[in-house]
Amino acid sequence: MGFGDFLFGLAARQPAEYRRLRGIRRRIYTRVAPLHAEIVRSPEPIAFADLDRSRFEPLRAGSSFGGVFDCAWLRITGEVPDGVERPVVLLGIRGEGLVLSPDGELLDSVSTVFQQGDHPHSGGRYRPVQGVDLSSGRVEFYADVAYNGFILYEVGRGAFHGAHLATRDEDAYSLYYDYLTLVVLADATDDAGLAAEVRRALSTAWTAFRAGDVAAARAALAPALAAPSTSDFVYDAVGHGHLDMAWLWPLRETHRKSARTYVRAMNALERRPDYVYGTSQPQQMHWMQQEHPALFERMKSAVADGRMELQGSFWVEPDTNLPSGESLVRQALVGRGFLQEQFGLTDEQLRLCWLPDTFGYNGNLPQILKKSGMDWFQTIKLAWNKTNDFPHRTFTWQGIDGSSVLVHMPPEGDYNSRAGADNLLTGLARYPEKALDTALLVYGSGDGGGGPNEIHHELTDRERDLRGLPKIRMSTAGDFFRRLEQRDIAHTHVGELYLETHQGTYTTQAQIKRHNRLVERKLHEAEALAVLAGDDHRPVLAGHWREVLLNQFHDIIPGSSIARVNREAIATYERIEGELDAYAAELIGRLPQRTAGDSSSGGYERADAAPTASSASAAVPRTALNLTSHARDEVVKVGDGWYRAEVGPYAAAELRPVDAASDLAFGDDSLDNGLLTVRFDIDGVIVSCRDRDGADHAGAGLNRLVVHRDPYVWPFNAWDINPDYVKRPTRVLRMSHVESGIDGPTVWRAQEYRSRTVTVRQRIVLEAGSDVVRLETEVDWHEKHRMLRAEFRPTQYGDTVRCEIQFGHIERVTTERDSVEQAQFEVCAHKWIATEGSDGGFALLNDAKYGHRAKNGLLSLNLLRAPTFPDKTADRGIHRFTYAFTPFASGDLAKVVREAYRLNNPLQVTEIAPFASAASVDDPGVVIETVKRAEQGDGVVLRLYESLGRATTTALHVALPGVSIPSAPRPAFTAVETDLLERPAGAAEHVDLARLEFGPFEIKTIRLDARP
């Protein structure tokens, strides 16, 4: 199929038949009266209730109503001529519109959004409008219209083609879709005899139509349409209106697209008794509840009647590579909670995870899904692989802990199927498991197309039992999976579902990714502080969580949206961060303070924060607050002084003054803290990193800052990296300035790299008693189609690299022995990656980055990109972040995990009284990730996971306000293990916290309740 065929479909593939269809189309509608149009334009939406009707002015047919993202209200009025029966209202626009009555009732929606390969509509540039009250002979309705660009681009203008009343010739209308159905079948089938027979019928029908005999034309096609399917294969078909929360349009437009999509779906359900519609993102339903309550009530009725299926349990369709594990848990908690509260769904109705368009799926997602009540997983995205065809469409997926879910990928590879014969046959041809004789068909126009429209309905009506095609059965996706799980599924895939494209989304829009990492940490801290302070954080943080989960949608956090979406996301993050800081300060103020009558306001500052006048003059000792699972022994700077913090997990301890360490030293090209001696070449590259045992870890060089060419990959520039970038010439940044010094227990070296389009200022820090090398970095970045990477070629390097993912890590190969290994040229990791050689290991840590290359001796951290589409300003500006590296002894991955948490979770310096660990475990490989209030009731929930990939047994010690008294003779609380939804798990009523047994990478959720 050529590009023209792909883009323009039938018009390009069969231009003669397309012209015939246009000829039939001209017979369908007959104009009987013009309608008058008026307009109110605005740059942003105006609510119907706020519409000033005095502002309407006349609008001529053929006029533009605005540019990309402009808004307008149309008022359409007129009279029904006497004697006209069953008049039809036709509205012609280039764009999208929501139609309302004069009283503000939502009536219908219209859309001419173009999607590749669309079949031609019977109305041409016009769409029939349903629900307009014509009983009085008077016509009046309003249309809230918008134009959101063409295909992928912010080009063109919205247009008003006109509005009129017409009558519809039902025979001509039916002939049109009879003809379209068979034209597509004749072109798509591999059965030459069938194709020839159908083409003869089409030719006979066209001759009859040219002679003016529509009935004879239909009769010529009737035998072909009546011939039943001989296939045993059955598609379970569910209508769907895939709608990105934001992408090539701003969030505000998705509110409006949602209303257009849902009103069309509700109208179709009322007109078509066997139609089934599915929708997948509770956030959009929540908007309808707030903005269009009458429409929301119609939706609730459709769900109660079994006509509308709520697909999936996540709040939105998130990226699953970048968000933390806890964020993905909250996607399920928040989304599922809304669906059960508002629609009364049962657990059985919420077994499906619906993520058709997300850019790859992390290796621990099966465990997260299973423990969130989801046994089934639907996607199509692996069909987008650029290098290797993913070998299955129906299979079992096993995650890193051994949990499994049933996966089905609709074999056509599309969540916007046109549902034509070509789509059905393409799916069959691409289906390795076609012997199952069943697959899912997800059809409808997405992203503003409004879901299934007239074309989809008419084609599927004719294709349900049609010779040459598989059969079609209207069904929910849930019923499809219930039937499928009864079958023998032959294939099991273990590990991540890596998408062999869109690897640039691990890095693009670095500020969004940095803010996401930061706000995830602040939410964690606020919840833990609230438990310590005895506060109920749920009403305070619920709205923040919903906004963060929304920004984790699979085109926002990946950085693949337009500039406005990115600006608004960053502004949302900054607002939330400020509000979380204020709430955290309030909670710290409620904790017992260090000294009675202290005049301090009870505020706090970060150990890594810039000194302030108040902090410099504050009395000492203060306390260090540790809200991580790891005991901390480190130095912090408060004002001009340095202090040591030795503080347990979820504890606070007094700071003790420290003097400058005697074993710190620096030279013209070196730093030394007694544990490591680091030497630099003239370009600032670390050429030696020798430990006190004499082992050098620098290999072929560490922290080489390299600018790579990152050419435009059409059409998905922000998404994609050309894997051949490694073969292109590079530019190693040259150092322009260097200075070194000692500050208390740290020795540092400041390096500056400067060119016309990029300036990097980097502070390399060694801390006394630590073998972690920190690289505190500021970049002023103004490149175009370039990547900035920090490259490391350590001495110790193995055939695999371990990469942190949600609640664990995954092991990937560093070789390129075949096309699968080569396709994974860029991988996603969270806070760390680590590789081991024969004599130890080397780990690379970060506080804000996700994209890595780990191949052939190289560990490369992708710091910044500079794409130009869809945001031509992507990543230009100033960025601040820190990364670090450390050698480690063979098998000591627990050190890597601990140091990564330390880098990402700086201690807080406060005025609170010291307290012992509120929650801790004995095993260093088990992490207490979350301490929070239970979703229901007064209990406290702790979420733990095994981080090292081995079975273990550990004790959990808790001393939390309201649920425990450390000195009590028996526990003052009950402990129950739950799933991630906080429902009791298994048969055991209580768990023994002295012996918690973990499998490799197992997530455990423990609920604690005070005894009565």
Side-chain angles (χ1 to χ4, degrees):
M1 179 187 295
F3 180 71
D5 294 349
F6 164 78
L7 186 62
F8 297 111
L10 183 67
R13 291 180 61 84
Q14 299 190 76
E17 295 290 11
Y18 178 71
R19 288 192 295 271
R20 288 181 175 183
L21 281 164
R22 294 184 65 179
I24 298 171
R25 188 167 68 189
R26 285 191 287 270
R27 287 282 300 272
I28 296 173
Y29 291 103
T30 301
R31 297 190 185 204
V32 296
L35 295 176
H36 176 66
E38 300 167 287
I39 189 169
V40 171
R41 295 180 172 89
S42 62
E44 292 296 314
I46 299 173
F48 184 76
D50 299 329
L51 184 59
D52 181 357
R53 286 161 175 75
S54 68
R55 290 182 53 204
F56 277 103
E57 56 188 28
L59 177 67
R60 294 194 325 270
S63 300
S64 171
F65 60 75
V68 178
F69 307 140
D70 285 342
C71 305
W73 276 99
L74 306 182
R75 179 165 62 190
I76 309 295
T77 56
E79 303 288 338
V80 180
D82 292 339
V84 174
E85 296 184 2
R86 297 190 300 277
V88 177
V89 176
L90 290 176
L91 175 62
I93 62 168
R94 183 192 302 140
E96 308 165 53
L98 181 66
V99 179
L100 293 83
S101 74
D103 296 328
E105 178 188 359
L106 272 57
L107 302 178
D108 201 358
S109 67
V110 294
S111 174
T112 55
V113 169
F114 177 81
Q115 294 185 335
Q116 68 273 8
D118 272 351
H119 292 310
H121 193 281
S122 71
R125 297 190 301 176
Y126 292 83
R127 297 293 180 268
V129 178
Q130 307 291 330
V132 179
D133 184 3
L134 305 178
S135 60
S136 68
R138 170 77 180 159
V139 180
E140 182 179 6
F141 64 91
Y142 293 77
D144 182 13
V145 297
Y147 178 74
N148 295 303
F150 179 71
I151 311 181
L152 298 176
Y153 303 106
E154 295 179 46
V155 297
R157 297 184 64 82
F160 173 65
H161 302 307
H164 56 267
L165 293 177
T167 56
R168 188 169 86 177
D169 183 327
E170 298 298 336
D171 283 339
Y173 174 83
S174 297
L175 174 62
Y176 179 85
Y177 285 110
D178 291 347
Y179 200 96
L180 176 60
T181 300
L182 293 176
V183 161
V184 178
L185 172 60
D187 184 58
T189 183
D190 291 332
D191 185 334
L194 175 62
E197 180 181 336
V198 171
R199 291 192 188 282
R200 285 193 296 271
L202 290 167
S203 179
T204 302
W206 177 246
T207 299
F209 175 78
R210 291 283 305 273
D213 193 342
V214 173
R218 289 205 71 197
L221 300 179
L225 291 167
S229 171
T230 59
S231 174
D232 293 328
F233 195 97
V234 179
Y235 276 108
D236 283 316
V238 59
H240 189 76
H242 176 82
L243 178 52
D244 287 338
M245 303 304 303
W247 178 32
L248 305 176
W249 55 85
L251 274 169
R252 63 88 160 156
E253 193 59 29
T254 312
H255 290 241
R256 295 166 9 120
K257 287 175 179 280
S258 298
R260 298 173 201 135
T261 300
Y262 282 124
V263 75
R264 173 185 285 180
M266 295 305 101
N267 289 348
L269 290 172
E270 291 168 5
R271 294 195 308 269
R272 308 183 69 83
D274 60 348
Y275 175 47
V276 178
Y277 181 74
T279 186
S280 61
Q281 302 190 88
Q283 171 69 86
Q284 295 174 6
M285 304 172 213
H286 183 51
W287 286 337
M288 296 306 96
Q289 182 186 30
Q290 294 175 315
E291 299 163 15
H292 301 291
L295 175 61
F296 187 69
E297 289 302 314
R298 294 176 68 190
M299 294 163 59
K300 290 176 71 173
S301 295
V303 171
D305 293 341
R307 304 293 309 286
M308 184 165 82
E309 179 183 35
L310 305 183
Q311 298 161 327
S313 293
F314 285 162
W315 184 240
V316 299
E317 293 177 10
D319 183 274
T320 74
N321 285 316
L322 303 168
S324 69
E326 189 61 33
S327 288
L328 293 178
V329 171
R330 302 306 175 92
Q331 287 282 355
L333 271 171
V334 175
R336 192 182 190 96
F338 179 85
L339 296 178
Q340 292 189 316
E341 179 181 343
Q342 297 300 325
F343 295 93
L345 297 193
T346 65
D347 291 339
E348 177 61 28
Q349 292 172 298
L350 290 169
R351 295 177 62 196
L352 172 61
C353 180
W354 186 276
L355 293 179
D357 194 29
T358 298
F359 310 150
Y361 306 94
N362 75 75
N364 213 358
L365 190 57
Q367 181 179 194
I368 295 171
L369 296 182
K370 289 289 283 190
K371 292 183 176 178
S372 299
M374 290 176 272
D375 304 306
W376 313 318
F377 182 66
Q378 188 271 358
T379 182
I380 65 91
K381 205 62 182 183
L382 298 186
W384 284 45
N385 275 6
K386 283 188 173 181
T387 305
N388 302 281
D389 184 26
F390 190 79
H392 312 300
R393 296 299 181 269
T394 299
F395 58 97
T396 299
W397 178 22
Q398 180 177 309
I400 59 173
D401 77 310
S403 298
S404 295
V405 293
L406 175 61
V407 181
H408 179 70
M409 296 170 52
E412 184 190 348
D414 199 348
Y415 43 78
N416 292 320
S417 178
R418 299 187 311 277
D422 53 339
N423 308 105
L424 306 182
L425 294 174
T426 295
L428 206 58
R430 294 176 176 175
Y431 194 17
E433 293 81 26
K434 70 180 66 176
L436 291 170
D437 282 336
T438 186
L440 195 60
L441 177 69
V442 183
Y443 66 97
S445 296
D447 289 335
N453 60 34
E454 171 189 295
I455 305 171
H456 301 90
H457 294 310
E458 295 294 342
L459 292 184
T460 53
D461 280 350
R462 289 162 173 80
E463 294 166 343
R464 295 191 190 194
D465 189 7
L466 182 62
R467 182 175 51 157
L469 296 179
K471 297 181 179 71
I472 292 178
R473 169 176 55 200
M474 298 296 159
S475 172
T476 65
D479 284 343
F480 165 78
F481 272 97
R482 286 182 188 91
R483 290 187 285 267
L484 187 64
E485 69 180 351
Q486 303 303 316
R487 310 290 294 274
D488 180 23
I489 306 302
H491 307 290
T492 297
H493 177 87
V494 179
E496 67 185 322
L497 293 177
Y498 180 90
L499 179 64
E500 295 177 359
T501 188
H502 293 1
Q503 295 96 330
T505 62
Y506 311 153
T507 302
T508 305
Q509 296 294 345
Q511 294 284 34
I512 288 178
K513 293 169 172 62
R514 181 182 71 85
H515 279 293
N516 177 75
R517 181 86 63 92
L518 181 60
V519 80
E520 286 178 331
R521 185 193 81 201
K522 288 179 181 289
L523 282 164
H524 158 78
E525 292 173 342
E527 290 180 338
L529 281 169
V531 170
L532 294 172
D535 192 54
D536 186 354
H537 61 70
R538 292 170 295 191
V540 180
L541 300 183
H544 295 326
W545 266 115
R546 285 194 295 267
E547 288 189 282
V548 170
L549 299 179
L550 170 57
N551 275 352
Q552 291 174 348
F553 176 74
H554 67 255
D555 274 310
I556 300 180
I557 190 173
S560 49
S561 290
I562 59 172
R564 176 172 171 176
V565 173
N566 300 323
R567 290 195 305 270
E568 291 176 352
I570 290 170
T572 297
Y573 281 126
E574 289 174 342
R575 172 178 52 77
I576 294 172
E577 288 160 14
E579 292 170 357
L580 290 175
D581 284 344
Y583 181 50
E586 176 188 337
L587 293 170
I588 286 174
R590 296 184 191 181
L591 294 172
Q593 299 299 295
R594 185 172 52 83
T595 57
D598 193 297
S599 61
S600 167
S601 65
Y604 72 100
E605 60 190 82
R606 296 252 166 223
D608 61 347
T612 64
S614 61
S615 65
S617 61
V620 293
R622 285 179 162 184
T623 50
L625 175 62
N626 174 20
L627 295 175
T628 74
S629 184
H630 302 278
R632 308 280 282 268
D633 181 2
E634 59 197 75
V635 293
V636 298
K637 191 173 187 180
V638 183
D640 295 327
W642 283 92
Y643 301 87
R644 177 159 298 280
E646 294 182 61
V647 54
Y650 294 97
E654 276 196 355
L655 295 173
R656 294 182 288 105
V658 294
D659 296 324
S662 60
D663 50 1
L664 300 181
F666 64 88
D668 290 342
D669 65 349
S670 66
L671 297 176
D672 191 341
N673 71 347
L675 293 180
L676 292 178
T677 301
V678 179
R679 296 192 179 278
F680 303 83
D681 70 8
I682 60 172
D683 292 321
V685 177
I686 296 172
V687 293
S688 175
C689 180
R690 193 172 298 277
D691 63 29
R692 62 184 174 186
D693 294 326
D696 196 331
H697 302 277
L702 307 177
N703 195 42
R704 180 174 283 106
L705 296 178
V706 181
V707 176
H708 288 268
R709 296 183 183 181
D710 187 13
Y712 194 115
V713 179
W714 187 85
F716 295 116
N717 185 205
W719 294 257
D720 291 342
I721 298 172
N722 188 327
D724 291 338
Y725 82 88
V726 294
K727 302 175 183 178
R728 300 173 183 268
T730 62
R731 184 169 92 247
V732 177
L733 293 182
R734 307 299 180 188
M735 192 167 61
S736 60
H737 175 77
V738 63
E739 60 179 305
S740 302
I742 292 175
D743 183 5
T746 66
V747 60
W748 56 269
R749 174 183 170 99
Q751 302 182 159
E752 183 171 307
Y753 308 79
R754 185 180 293 273
S755 72
R756 184 176 60 85
T757 51
V758 56
T759 300
V760 179
R761 298 178 183 88
Q762 197 160 67
R763 194 169 180 267
I764 300 96
V765 181
L766 284 176
E767 179 184 311
S770 172
D771 61 356
V772 177
V773 181
R774 292 170 60 103
L775 301 115
E776 300 166 356
T777 308
E778 177 182 287
V779 183
D780 191 1
W781 179 249
H782 297 281
E783 291 280 4
K784 179 179 179 180
H785 296 151
R786 296 291 187 272
M787 268 188 299
L788 177 63
R789 306 187 73 107
E791 299 190 345
F792 299 76
R793 293 188 177 275
T795 304
Q796 301 301 325
Y797 196 95
D799 287 341
T800 63
V801 62
R802 284 173 284 187
C803 306
E804 190 197 37
I805 62 171
Q806 294 83 349
F807 298 124
H809 68 263
I810 192 167
E811 193 165 21
R812 298 171 168 127
V813 297
T814 60
T815 52
E816 294 184 289
R817 295 167 296 191
D818 56 36
S819 61
V820 172
E821 294 182 1
Q822 293 162 11
Q824 297 187 16
F825 64 92
E826 187 93 346
V827 295
C828 185
H830 282 210
K831 298 186 290 293
W832 59 266
I833 62 172
T835 186
E836 289 190 49
S838 57
D839 297 314
F842 181 89
L844 183 58
L845 321 174
N846 77 85
D847 73 352
K849 300 299 171 185
Y850 296 89
H852 300 74
R853 178 179 176 86
K855 293 292 182 185
N856 304 317
L858 174 69
L859 297 181
S860 172
L861 183 62
N862 199 342
L863 302 179
L864 292 167
R865 298 187 68 219
T868 55
F869 176 79
D871 178 358
K872 65 182 179 182
T873 67
D875 286 317
R876 279 55 157 201
I878 295 176
H879 301 262
R880 296 179 180 88
F881 48 86
T882 299
Y883 56 100
F885 66 85
T886 184
F888 63 95
S890 294
D892 190 13
L893 197 64
K895 172 194 174 182
V896 178
V897 175
R898 179 179 69 250
E899 292 294 346
Y901 271 92
R902 178 187 172 202
L903 179 66
N904 280 267
N905 298 71
L907 297 173
Q908 299 178 25
V909 177
T910 77
E911 297 286 349
I912 64 175
F915 62 87
S917 288
S920 63
V921 290
D922 295 340
D923 190 308
V926 174
V927 177
I928 305 173
E929 180 72 357
T930 300
V931 178
K932 63 182 282 289
R933 289 287 173 194
E935 292 298 299
Q936 304 293 330
D938 297 325
V940 171
V941 163
L942 280 70
R943 188 141 29 246
L944 309 87
Y945 73 96
E946 197 287 312
S947 66
L948 305 180
R950 82 283 190 272
T952 188
T953 300
T954 189
L956 170 62
H957 309 282
V958 293
L960 294 167
V963 297
S964 58
I965 303 172
S967 59
R970 70 184 183 109
F973 55 86
T974 61
V976 176
E977 184 172 355
T978 75
D979 63 11
L980 295 176
L981 302 175
E982 301 179 16
R983 305 174 302 186
E989 185 175 349
H990 301 291
V991 293
D992 181 3
L993 298 188
R995 286 188 56 80
L996 284 181
E997 296 182 359
F998 284 82
F1001 303 120
E1002 182 179 358
I1003 309 165
K1004 281 189 182 292
T1005 303
I1006 307 296
R1007 175 176 175 135
L1008 307 175
D1009 284 279
R1011 291 186 185 274

